[in-house]
Amino acid sequence: MPTIAILGTFDSKGPEHGFVADCIRGRGFDTLLINAGSLAAPGITPDISADEVAAAGADDWKAVLARQDRGECVTLMAKGAAKVLADLVESGRVQGIISLGGGGGTAICTAAMRGLPIGFPKVMVSTLASGNTAPYVGTKDIVMIPAIADVAGINRLTRVIFENAAGAVCGMVQAAEGRKQRPSSDKPLIVASMFGNTTACVTAAKEQLEQAGYEVLVFAATGNGGRAMEALIESGMVAGVLDITTTEWADELCGGVLNAGPERLDAAAKAKVPAIVTPGCLDMVNFGEPQTVPAKYAGRTFYQHNAQVTLMRTNTEECAQLGKIIADKVNAYTAPVTVLLPTKAISVISAEGKAFHDAAADTALFAGLKANLRPGVPVIELAVEINDTAFSTACARALLENIAKAAL
């Protein structure tokens, strides 16, 4: 029978975790209770003690616990819980994890969950689940359930939330166990970056790559999507990168809301994975409602994508910088890589006659890219728009050629 780990701060929320354990055992699963609470005695008896978790977090764990500094203890227990849980998963002792927490418990337990593989069942009931969960979820598939009330006792409200959460993790574990019984795809994996403005291009290229025998995973270039794609590339699971939509770098440069961080485009270099790179949607920076656009951008060219999204056109200076940034990233690639440039439009709305058409800015982007690329990186320029079938075909063919070269 599968075992579900119950990780939490049992010094402050022991009975609540005990209730969830009873719910899980009532559904026929085994449980393994892990105490990550270090400031008082646990309210229930754990299978793995707080001292064991702390010892996995640092050599000087006794001194840290002795100081009883809350922030320091949270950091220690987060490190230790991540190590303990990773070892349990790697050894096959647990098949899922659930936790309940406030601020400290959520920080500790989601840190441990983020170290686990995508697809491994992870459920976090948290008082923070209705706010900004990005710091807790990261690029992993952690299911965060709002606690609604504080995790403080079993009552008519928390009972429902905790029972549902227990049922959720049990169902996820059953689904994961079912997947083990099915034959997995042995097709090599390609990842692709896509935005609404590059959907036609990526979809057409994806179809050609699938016809060539690859499985293609598409990631939305919305910041978190780019980070998730980078994490998967770095994992070593990927055979090729179809990086058509590098728009997140425009947000990174200009302070937009969909940036993926300065490491975007680094993973293919680190993992030595064949790739193609294009400047898809580097014409646009994403902001929220119009009033959220920084005052320094007053007078710029904007496009209201919808009520919640305001796009700003990158100007000539910014495009020149972006060209250099992309080139510098590509220069670090050691596996075969090709840069492709659709010179008539890098998005739907940058085509001639559209809101973001700016030939001078595009020229600066292309020039900045080409001038800074190291010798030996092929550049293919096509006098078409990015969603033209000729461009998607060129992208797919170039990636297949690069994968073939890497295999020699």
Tab-separated table of all heavy atoms in Angstrom, residues 1-7 17 19-32 85 94-100 113 116 119-125 141-145 160-179:
chain	number	residue	atom	x	y	z
A	1	MET	N	0.843	-1.194	0.000
A	1	MET	CA	0.000	0.000	0.000
A	1	MET	C	0.883	1.250	0.000
A	1	MET	O	1.834	1.330	0.772
A	1	MET	CB	-0.911	-0.010	1.231
A	1	MET	CG	-1.809	1.205	1.358
A	1	MET	SD	-2.917	1.443	-0.071
A	1	MET	CE	-3.874	-0.063	-0.026
A	2	PRO	N	0.593	2.243	-0.839
A	2	PRO	CA	1.405	3.459	-0.869
A	2	PRO	C	1.419	4.179	0.474
A	2	PRO	O	0.452	4.128	1.240
A	2	PRO	CB	0.715	4.313	-1.930
A	2	PRO	CG	-0.026	3.341	-2.787
A	2	PRO	CD	-0.464	2.256	-1.864
A	3	THR	N	2.528	4.856	0.729
A	3	THR	CA	2.690	5.619	1.964
A	3	THR	C	2.721	7.112	1.643
A	3	THR	O	3.425	7.539	0.727
A	3	THR	CB	3.993	5.224	2.677
A	3	THR	OG1	3.914	3.844	3.042
A	3	THR	CG2	4.214	6.066	3.930
A	4	ILE	N	1.970	7.883	2.406
A	4	ILE	CA	1.919	9.327	2.218
A	4	ILE	C	2.622	10.001	3.389
A	4	ILE	O	2.303	9.748	4.557
A	4	ILE	CB	0.467	9.822	2.099
A	4	ILE	CG1	-0.173	9.212	0.837
A	4	ILE	CG2	0.415	11.353	2.048
A	4	ILE	CD1	-1.647	9.532	0.679
A	5	ALA	N	3.605	10.838	3.073
A	5	ALA	CA	4.313	11.584	4.103
A	5	ALA	C	3.452	12.741	4.584
A	5	ALA	O	2.823	13.440	3.786
A	5	ALA	CB	5.637	12.100	3.559
A	6	ILE	N	3.408	12.921	5.894
A	6	ILE	CA	2.700	14.053	6.496
A	6	ILE	C	3.752	14.892	7.206
A	6	ILE	O	4.277	14.506	8.251
A	6	ILE	CB	1.607	13.581	7.458
A	6	ILE	CG1	0.600	12.724	6.681
A	6	ILE	CG2	0.921	14.775	8.112
A	6	ILE	CD1	-0.425	12.056	7.537
A	7	LEU	N	4.102	15.990	6.578
A	7	LEU	CA	5.180	16.850	7.053
A	7	LEU	C	4.585	18.111	7.644
A	7	LEU	O	3.729	18.746	7.030
A	7	LEU	CB	6.102	17.211	5.883
A	7	LEU	CG	7.176	18.267	6.115
A	7	LEU	CD1	8.216	17.776	7.098
A	7	LEU	CD2	7.831	18.643	4.781
A	17	HIS	N	-2.443	17.807	12.015
A	17	HIS	CA	-1.777	16.825	11.155
A	17	HIS	C	-2.179	15.403	11.523
A	17	HIS	O	-2.288	14.531	10.648
A	17	HIS	CB	-0.257	17.001	11.249
A	17	HIS	CG	0.264	18.182	10.490
A	17	HIS	ND1	0.422	19.422	11.067
A	17	HIS	CD2	0.654	18.322	9.184
A	17	HIS	CE1	0.888	20.279	10.160
A	17	HIS	NE2	1.039	19.640	9.014
A	19	PHE	N	-5.132	14.552	12.575
A	19	PHE	CA	-6.452	14.367	11.975
A	19	PHE	C	-6.327	13.983	10.502
A	19	PHE	O	-7.010	13.061	10.023
A	19	PHE	CB	-7.262	15.653	12.128
A	19	PHE	CG	-8.605	15.614	11.465
A	19	PHE	CD1	-9.687	14.999	12.082
A	19	PHE	CD2	-8.800	16.178	10.209
A	19	PHE	CE1	-10.942	14.948	11.461
A	19	PHE	CE2	-10.033	16.140	9.580
A	19	PHE	CZ	-11.111	15.520	10.216
A	20	VAL	N	-5.448	14.688	9.781
A	20	VAL	CA	-5.243	14.366	8.371
A	20	VAL	C	-4.682	12.959	8.210
A	20	VAL	O	-5.083	12.210	7.308
A	20	VAL	CB	-4.306	15.413	7.724
A	20	VAL	CG1	-3.857	14.957	6.336
A	20	VAL	CG2	-5.004	16.760	7.624
A	21	ALA	N	-3.775	12.565	9.106
A	21	ALA	CA	-3.218	11.210	9.049
A	21	ALA	C	-4.313	10.171	9.221
A	21	ALA	O	-4.344	9.144	8.523
A	21	ALA	CB	-2.148	11.039	10.121
A	22	ASP	N	-5.241	10.415	10.145
A	22	ASP	CA	-6.356	9.482	10.352
A	22	ASP	C	-7.223	9.392	9.100
A	22	ASP	O	-7.674	8.304	8.704
A	22	ASP	CB	-7.208	9.933	11.542
A	22	ASP	CG	-6.507	9.733	12.882
A	22	ASP	OD1	-5.566	8.905	12.940
A	22	ASP	OD2	-6.914	10.390	13.864
A	23	CYS	N	-7.459	10.548	8.461
A	23	CYS	CA	-8.266	10.549	7.228
A	23	CYS	C	-7.592	9.717	6.138
A	23	CYS	O	-8.256	8.958	5.417
A	23	CYS	CB	-8.449	11.987	6.728
A	23	CYS	SG	-9.487	13.035	7.759
A	24	ILE	N	-6.288	9.856	6.022
A	24	ILE	CA	-5.550	9.136	4.984
A	24	ILE	C	-5.526	7.636	5.276
A	24	ILE	O	-5.747	6.806	4.385
A	24	ILE	CB	-4.126	9.707	4.863
A	24	ILE	CG1	-4.194	11.121	4.259
A	24	ILE	CG2	-3.232	8.804	4.016
A	24	ILE	CD1	-2.882	11.869	4.278
A	25	ARG	N	-5.290	7.290	6.525
A	25	ARG	CA	-5.292	5.870	6.886
A	25	ARG	C	-6.679	5.263	6.709
A	25	ARG	O	-6.820	4.092	6.349
A	25	ARG	CB	-4.795	5.692	8.321
A	25	ARG	CG	-3.286	5.920	8.473
A	25	ARG	CD	-2.786	5.468	9.821
A	25	ARG	NE	-3.208	6.374	10.886
A	25	ARG	CZ	-2.485	7.363	11.367
A	25	ARG	NH1	-1.265	7.610	10.870
A	25	ARG	NH2	-2.941	8.132	12.349
A	26	GLY	N	-7.701	6.079	6.937
A	26	GLY	CA	-9.067	5.608	6.736
A	26	GLY	C	-9.370	5.272	5.291
A	26	GLY	O	-10.316	4.526	4.997
A	27	ARG	N	-8.592	5.824	4.390
A	27	ARG	CA	-8.756	5.532	2.963
A	27	ARG	C	-7.859	4.375	2.509
A	27	ARG	O	-7.768	4.100	1.315
A	27	ARG	CB	-8.450	6.780	2.129
A	27	ARG	CG	-9.496	7.881	2.288
A	27	ARG	CD	-9.098	9.143	1.537
A	27	ARG	NE	-10.159	10.143	1.555
A	27	ARG	CZ	-11.126	10.250	0.651
A	27	ARG	NH1	-11.160	9.387	-0.368
A	27	ARG	NH2	-12.052	11.175	0.750
A	28	GLY	N	-7.183	3.763	3.459
A	28	GLY	CA	-6.398	2.572	3.135
A	28	GLY	C	-4.938	2.816	2.822
A	28	GLY	O	-4.242	1.907	2.365
A	29	PHE	N	-4.448	4.029	3.083
A	29	PHE	CA	-3.048	4.341	2.820
A	29	PHE	C	-2.248	4.307	4.122
A	29	PHE	O	-2.778	4.542	5.211
A	29	PHE	CB	-2.914	5.729	2.182
A	29	PHE	CG	-3.486	5.825	0.800
A	29	PHE	CD1	-4.854	6.032	0.611
A	29	PHE	CD2	-2.674	5.699	-0.313
A	29	PHE	CE1	-5.383	6.119	-0.667
A	29	PHE	CE2	-3.190	5.793	-1.595
A	29	PHE	CZ	-4.548	5.997	-1.774
A	30	ASP	N	-0.962	4.051	4.009
A	30	ASP	CA	-0.058	4.168	5.143
A	30	ASP	C	0.411	5.619	5.251
A	30	ASP	O	0.371	6.372	4.273
A	30	ASP	CB	1.156	3.246	4.978
A	30	ASP	CG	0.780	1.772	5.063
A	30	ASP	OD1	-0.193	1.465	5.785
A	30	ASP	OD2	1.448	0.950	4.419
A	31	THR	N	0.876	5.996	6.419
A	31	THR	CA	1.381	7.356	6.615
A	31	THR	C	2.758	7.324	7.270
A	31	THR	O	3.126	6.376	7.957
A	31	THR	CB	0.436	8.184	7.514
A	31	THR	OG1	0.307	7.532	8.787
A	31	THR	CG2	-0.931	8.332	6.880
A	32	LEU	N	3.513	8.386	7.029
A	32	LEU	CA	4.811	8.583	7.678
A	32	LEU	C	4.833	10.025	8.177
A	32	LEU	O	4.826	10.964	7.385
A	32	LEU	CB	5.954	8.337	6.695
A	32	LEU	CG	7.356	8.454	7.285
A	32	LEU	CD1	7.650	7.256	8.187
A	32	LEU	CD2	8.411	8.532	6.191
A	85	LEU	N	13.089	14.520	2.958
A	85	LEU	CA	12.030	14.111	2.034
A	85	LEU	C	12.607	13.606	0.720
A	85	LEU	O	12.129	12.599	0.167
A	85	LEU	CB	11.086	15.286	1.782
A	85	LEU	CG	9.783	14.939	1.061
A	85	LEU	CD1	8.991	13.909	1.837
A	85	LEU	CD2	8.952	16.190	0.847
A	94	VAL	N	8.086	6.801	0.305
A	94	VAL	CA	6.831	7.559	0.291
A	94	VAL	C	6.426	7.846	-1.147
A	94	VAL	O	7.266	7.988	-2.027
A	94	VAL	CB	6.935	8.874	1.094
A	94	VAL	CG1	7.227	8.585	2.558
A	94	VAL	CG2	7.986	9.804	0.516
A	95	GLN	N	5.108	7.907	-1.351
A	95	GLN	CA	4.576	8.108	-2.702
A	95	GLN	C	3.758	9.394	-2.838
A	95	GLN	O	3.183	9.669	-3.891
A	95	GLN	CB	3.704	6.908	-3.096
A	95	GLN	CG	4.484	5.655	-3.419
A	95	GLN	CD	5.127	5.006	-2.189
A	95	GLN	OE1	4.458	4.820	-1.163
A	95	GLN	NE2	6.404	4.675	-2.281
A	96	GLY	N	3.710	10.187	-1.772
A	96	GLY	CA	2.996	11.450	-1.811
A	96	GLY	C	3.294	12.229	-0.548
A	96	GLY	O	3.834	11.672	0.419
A	97	ILE	N	2.955	13.521	-0.530
A	97	ILE	CA	3.188	14.347	0.658
A	97	ILE	C	2.065	15.348	0.824
A	97	ILE	O	1.538	15.893	-0.151
A	97	ILE	CB	4.544	15.079	0.595
A	97	ILE	CG1	4.742	15.930	1.854
A	97	ILE	CG2	4.668	15.934	-0.664
A	97	ILE	CD1	6.111	16.531	2.002
A	98	ILE	N	1.710	15.598	2.095
A	98	ILE	CA	0.727	16.625	2.425
A	98	ILE	C	1.208	17.363	3.656
A	98	ILE	O	1.910	16.802	4.504
A	98	ILE	CB	-0.678	16.009	2.664
A	98	ILE	CG1	-1.722	17.121	2.843
A	98	ILE	CG2	-0.666	15.040	3.843
A	98	ILE	CD1	-3.153	16.611	2.862
A	99	SER	N	0.830	18.634	3.738
A	99	SER	CA	1.192	19.438	4.897
A	99	SER	C	0.134	20.494	5.142
A	99	SER	O	-0.611	20.876	4.234
A	99	SER	CB	2.554	20.105	4.687
A	99	SER	OG	2.907	20.877	5.824
A	100	LEU	N	0.070	20.963	6.387
A	100	LEU	CA	-0.789	22.066	6.796
A	100	LEU	C	0.100	23.123	7.423
A	100	LEU	O	0.996	22.788	8.197
A	100	LEU	CB	-1.825	21.621	7.830
A	100	LEU	CG	-2.497	20.248	7.669
A	100	LEU	CD1	-3.337	19.927	8.898
A	100	LEU	CD2	-3.365	20.229	6.414
A	113	MET	N	8.905	20.408	-0.740
A	113	MET	CA	8.150	19.952	-1.906
A	113	MET	C	8.795	20.396	-3.214
A	113	MET	O	8.767	19.664	-4.207
A	113	MET	CB	6.707	20.475	-1.828
A	113	MET	CG	5.887	19.877	-0.696
A	113	MET	SD	4.219	20.605	-0.641
A	113	MET	CE	3.557	19.857	0.855
A	116	LEU	N	11.177	18.075	-5.042
A	116	LEU	CA	10.689	16.789	-5.537
A	116	LEU	C	10.352	16.860	-7.018
A	116	LEU	O	10.091	17.925	-7.571
A	116	LEU	CB	9.449	16.367	-4.741
A	116	LEU	CG	9.662	16.240	-3.228
A	116	LEU	CD1	8.365	15.823	-2.551
A	116	LEU	CD2	10.777	15.250	-2.918
A	119	GLY	N	5.193	15.744	-10.966
A	119	GLY	CA	4.382	14.537	-11.036
A	119	GLY	C	4.246	13.830	-9.701
A	119	GLY	O	3.306	13.050	-9.509
A	120	PHE	N	5.181	14.084	-8.779
A	120	PHE	CA	5.069	13.492	-7.450
A	120	PHE	C	3.983	14.251	-6.696
A	120	PHE	O	4.014	15.477	-6.624
A	120	PHE	CB	6.401	13.585	-6.705
A	120	PHE	CG	6.408	12.859	-5.387
A	120	PHE	CD1	6.771	11.518	-5.329
A	120	PHE	CD2	6.040	13.504	-4.220
A	120	PHE	CE1	6.766	10.841	-4.115
A	120	PHE	CE2	6.026	12.839	-3.007
A	120	PHE	CZ	6.392	11.496	-2.955
A	121	PRO	N	2.982	13.567	-6.114
A	121	PRO	CA	1.855	14.255	-5.472
A	121	PRO	C	2.286	15.124	-4.292
A	121	PRO	O	2.942	14.657	-3.363
A	121	PRO	CB	0.970	13.089	-5.000
A	121	PRO	CG	1.298	11.960	-5.931
A	121	PRO	CD	2.766	12.099	-6.182
A	122	LYS	N	1.882	16.405	-4.324
A	122	LYS	CA	2.262	17.380	-3.304
A	122	LYS	C	1.057	18.265	-2.995
A	122	LYS	O	0.559	18.948	-3.890
A	122	LYS	CB	3.403	18.274	-3.785
A	122	LYS	CG	4.512	17.588	-4.571
A	122	LYS	CD	5.396	18.622	-5.256
A	122	LYS	CE	6.377	18.007	-6.222
A	122	LYS	NZ	5.730	17.473	-7.452
A	123	VAL	N	0.607	18.280	-1.753
A	123	VAL	CA	-0.534	19.104	-1.355
A	123	VAL	C	-0.159	19.924	-0.130
A	123	VAL	O	0.326	19.382	0.867
A	123	VAL	CB	-1.774	18.237	-1.047
A	123	VAL	CG1	-2.892	19.104	-0.477
A	123	VAL	CG2	-2.249	17.512	-2.297
A	124	MET	N	-0.382	21.224	-0.193
A	124	MET	CA	-0.088	22.138	0.908
A	124	MET	C	-1.336	22.931	1.256
A	124	MET	O	-1.814	23.743	0.455
A	124	MET	CB	1.031	23.108	0.490
A	124	MET	CG	1.448	24.096	1.580
A	124	MET	SD	2.475	23.333	2.833
A	124	MET	CE	1.708	23.978	4.322
A	125	VAL	N	-1.908	22.684	2.430
A	125	VAL	CA	-3.020	23.484	2.932
A	125	VAL	C	-2.406	24.651	3.701
A	125	VAL	O	-1.669	24.448	4.663
A	125	VAL	CB	-3.939	22.665	3.853
A	125	VAL	CG1	-5.080	23.545	4.365
A	125	VAL	CG2	-4.488	21.446	3.117
A	141	ASP	N	4.767	21.488	-9.317
A	141	ASP	CA	3.317	21.283	-9.340
A	141	ASP	C	2.774	21.054	-7.930
A	141	ASP	O	2.154	20.028	-7.645
A	141	ASP	CB	2.956	20.130	-10.270
A	141	ASP	CG	3.699	18.841	-9.934
A	141	ASP	OD1	4.751	18.904	-9.266
A	141	ASP	OD2	3.228	17.760	-10.349
A	142	ILE	N	3.003	22.024	-7.071
A	142	ILE	CA	2.484	21.952	-5.705
A	142	ILE	C	1.045	22.450	-5.712
A	142	ILE	O	0.759	23.545	-6.190
A	142	ILE	CB	3.327	22.805	-4.740
A	142	ILE	CG1	4.777	22.311	-4.710
A	142	ILE	CG2	2.727	22.795	-3.341
A	142	ILE	CD1	5.725	23.224	-3.957
A	143	VAL	N	0.133	21.644	-5.193
A	143	VAL	CA	-1.261	22.062	-5.071
A	143	VAL	C	-1.419	22.773	-3.729
A	143	VAL	O	-1.226	22.163	-2.679
A	143	VAL	CB	-2.210	20.845	-5.140
A	143	VAL	CG1	-3.645	21.279	-4.880
A	143	VAL	CG2	-2.098	20.158	-6.493
A	144	MET	N	-1.747	24.059	-3.780
A	144	MET	CA	-1.958	24.816	-2.550
A	144	MET	C	-3.452	25.040	-2.341
A	144	MET	O	-4.142	25.567	-3.218
A	144	MET	CB	-1.215	26.145	-2.591
A	144	MET	CG	0.295	25.982	-2.525
A	144	MET	SD	1.191	27.546	-2.242
A	144	MET	CE	0.805	27.861	-0.517
A	145	ILE	N	-3.931	24.618	-1.204
A	145	ILE	CA	-5.350	24.728	-0.858
A	145	ILE	C	-5.503	25.791	0.224
A	145	ILE	O	-4.866	25.694	1.280
A	145	ILE	CB	-5.902	23.381	-0.362
A	145	ILE	CG1	-5.800	22.334	-1.472
A	145	ILE	CG2	-7.339	23.526	0.123
A	145	ILE	CD1	-6.230	20.933	-1.047
A	160	VAL	N	-13.765	20.109	7.137
A	160	VAL	CA	-14.085	19.946	5.715
A	160	VAL	C	-12.845	20.170	4.854
A	160	VAL	O	-12.559	19.389	3.933
A	160	VAL	CB	-15.204	20.925	5.307
A	160	VAL	CG1	-15.412	20.908	3.794
A	160	VAL	CG2	-16.499	20.583	6.021
A	161	ILE	N	-12.107	21.241	5.149
A	161	ILE	CA	-10.910	21.552	4.364
A	161	ILE	C	-9.887	20.432	4.468
A	161	ILE	O	-9.327	19.973	3.462
A	161	ILE	CB	-10.283	22.880	4.830
A	161	ILE	CG1	-11.281	24.051	4.698
A	161	ILE	CG2	-9.004	23.171	4.047
A	161	ILE	CD1	-11.723	24.355	3.298
A	162	PHE	N	-9.621	19.958	5.683
A	162	PHE	CA	-8.605	18.925	5.891
A	162	PHE	C	-9.025	17.592	5.278
A	162	PHE	O	-8.191	16.885	4.691
A	162	PHE	CB	-8.327	18.740	7.388
A	162	PHE	CG	-7.769	19.966	8.077
A	162	PHE	CD1	-7.767	20.064	9.460
A	162	PHE	CD2	-7.264	21.040	7.340
A	162	PHE	CE1	-7.260	21.182	10.098
A	162	PHE	CE2	-6.751	22.171	7.967
A	162	PHE	CZ	-6.760	22.237	9.353
A	163	GLU	N	-10.308	17.248	5.394
A	163	GLU	CA	-10.783	15.995	4.790
A	163	GLU	C	-10.647	16.050	3.267
A	163	GLU	O	-10.233	15.070	2.641
A	163	GLU	CB	-12.240	15.740	5.188
A	163	GLU	CG	-12.425	15.274	6.620
A	163	GLU	CD	-13.880	15.140	7.009
A	163	GLU	OE1	-14.748	15.719	6.308
A	163	GLU	OE2	-14.155	14.476	8.014
A	164	ASN	N	-11.007	17.184	2.690
A	164	ASN	CA	-10.879	17.327	1.238
A	164	ASN	C	-9.417	17.245	0.800
A	164	ASN	O	-9.085	16.637	-0.222
A	164	ASN	CB	-11.475	18.654	0.774
A	164	ASN	CG	-12.986	18.644	0.743
A	164	ASN	OD1	-13.604	17.589	0.873
A	164	ASN	ND2	-13.593	19.807	0.592
A	165	ALA	N	-8.546	17.871	1.583
A	165	ALA	CA	-7.124	17.837	1.244
A	165	ALA	C	-6.584	16.417	1.337
A	165	ALA	O	-5.797	15.979	0.479
A	165	ALA	CB	-6.345	18.756	2.180
A	166	ALA	N	-6.986	15.678	2.360
A	166	ALA	CA	-6.558	14.285	2.484
A	166	ALA	C	-7.059	13.463	1.299
A	166	ALA	O	-6.328	12.632	0.733
A	166	ALA	CB	-7.073	13.695	3.801
A	167	GLY	N	-8.315	13.699	0.913
A	167	GLY	CA	-8.846	12.995	-0.251
A	167	GLY	C	-8.106	13.356	-1.521
A	167	GLY	O	-7.870	12.500	-2.391
A	168	ALA	N	-7.703	14.637	-1.624
A	168	ALA	CA	-6.980	15.077	-2.821
A	168	ALA	C	-5.643	14.368	-2.950
A	168	ALA	O	-5.300	13.859	-4.024
A	168	ALA	CB	-6.771	16.586	-2.776
A	169	VAL	N	-4.862	14.326	-1.867
A	169	VAL	CA	-3.541	13.694	-1.979
A	169	VAL	C	-3.675	12.191	-2.194
A	169	VAL	O	-2.889	11.584	-2.933
A	169	VAL	CB	-2.657	14.024	-0.754
A	169	VAL	CG1	-3.083	13.237	0.483
A	169	VAL	CG2	-1.189	13.764	-1.069
A	170	CYS	N	-4.700	11.577	-1.603
A	170	CYS	CA	-4.917	10.145	-1.848
A	170	CYS	C	-5.259	9.882	-3.313
A	170	CYS	O	-4.746	8.943	-3.932
A	170	CYS	CB	-6.031	9.615	-0.943
A	170	CYS	SG	-5.600	9.525	0.810
A	171	GLY	N	-6.133	10.724	-3.867
A	171	GLY	CA	-6.479	10.570	-5.278
A	171	GLY	C	-5.286	10.789	-6.185
A	171	GLY	O	-5.103	10.076	-7.183
A	172	MET	N	-4.425	11.761	-5.849
A	172	MET	CA	-3.226	12.019	-6.644
A	172	MET	C	-2.267	10.837	-6.596
A	172	MET	O	-1.662	10.468	-7.616
A	172	MET	CB	-2.540	13.288	-6.145
A	172	MET	CG	-3.340	14.560	-6.411
A	172	MET	SD	-2.753	15.990	-5.460
A	172	MET	CE	-1.171	16.263	-6.242
A	173	VAL	N	-2.130	10.239	-5.418
A	173	VAL	CA	-1.248	9.074	-5.295
A	173	VAL	C	-1.801	7.897	-6.105
A	173	VAL	O	-1.050	7.184	-6.790
A	173	VAL	CB	-1.062	8.678	-3.815
A	173	VAL	CG1	-0.359	7.333	-3.693
A	173	VAL	CG2	-0.271	9.758	-3.084
A	174	GLN	N	-3.115	7.705	-6.058
A	174	GLN	CA	-3.721	6.641	-6.858
A	174	GLN	C	-3.472	6.872	-8.344
A	174	GLN	O	-3.160	5.932	-9.090
A	174	GLN	CB	-5.220	6.571	-6.581
A	174	GLN	CG	-5.569	5.970	-5.234
A	174	GLN	CD	-7.062	5.970	-4.964
A	174	GLN	OE1	-7.788	6.904	-5.345
A	174	GLN	NE2	-7.552	4.944	-4.306
A	175	ALA	N	-3.602	8.117	-8.774
A	175	ALA	CA	-3.346	8.433	-10.184
A	175	ALA	C	-1.889	8.158	-10.542
A	175	ALA	O	-1.591	7.619	-11.620
A	175	ALA	CB	-3.698	9.890	-10.457
A	176	ALA	N	-0.970	8.541	-9.647
A	176	ALA	CA	0.450	8.311	-9.904
A	176	ALA	C	0.778	6.827	-9.964
A	176	ALA	O	1.572	6.379	-10.798
A	176	ALA	CB	1.288	8.998	-8.829
A	177	GLU	N	0.153	6.047	-9.084
A	177	GLU	CA	0.373	4.602	-9.098
A	177	GLU	C	-0.175	3.994	-10.389
A	177	GLU	O	0.419	3.078	-10.960
A	177	GLU	CB	-0.302	3.960	-7.884
A	177	GLU	CG	0.341	4.313	-6.552
A	177	GLU	CD	1.757	3.794	-6.436
A	177	GLU	OE1	1.950	2.569	-6.514
A	177	GLU	OE2	2.684	4.626	-6.289
A	178	GLY	N	-1.297	4.541	-10.877
A	178	GLY	CA	-1.863	4.051	-12.128
A	178	GLY	C	-0.958	4.314	-13.311
A	178	GLY	O	-0.862	3.490	-14.232
A	179	ARG	N	-0.272	5.455	-13.285
A	179	ARG	CA	0.648	5.773	-14.379
A	179	ARG	C	1.787	4.766	-14.460
A	179	ARG	O	2.308	4.503	-15.548
A	179	ARG	CB	1.215	7.187	-14.206
A	179	ARG	CG	0.239	8.286	-14.532
A	179	ARG	CD	0.960	9.624	-14.710
A	179	ARG	NE	1.612	10.061	-13.496
A	179	ARG	CZ	1.028	10.770	-12.540
A	179	ARG	NH1	-0.248	11.100	-12.649
A	179	ARG	NH2	1.710	11.156	-11.479
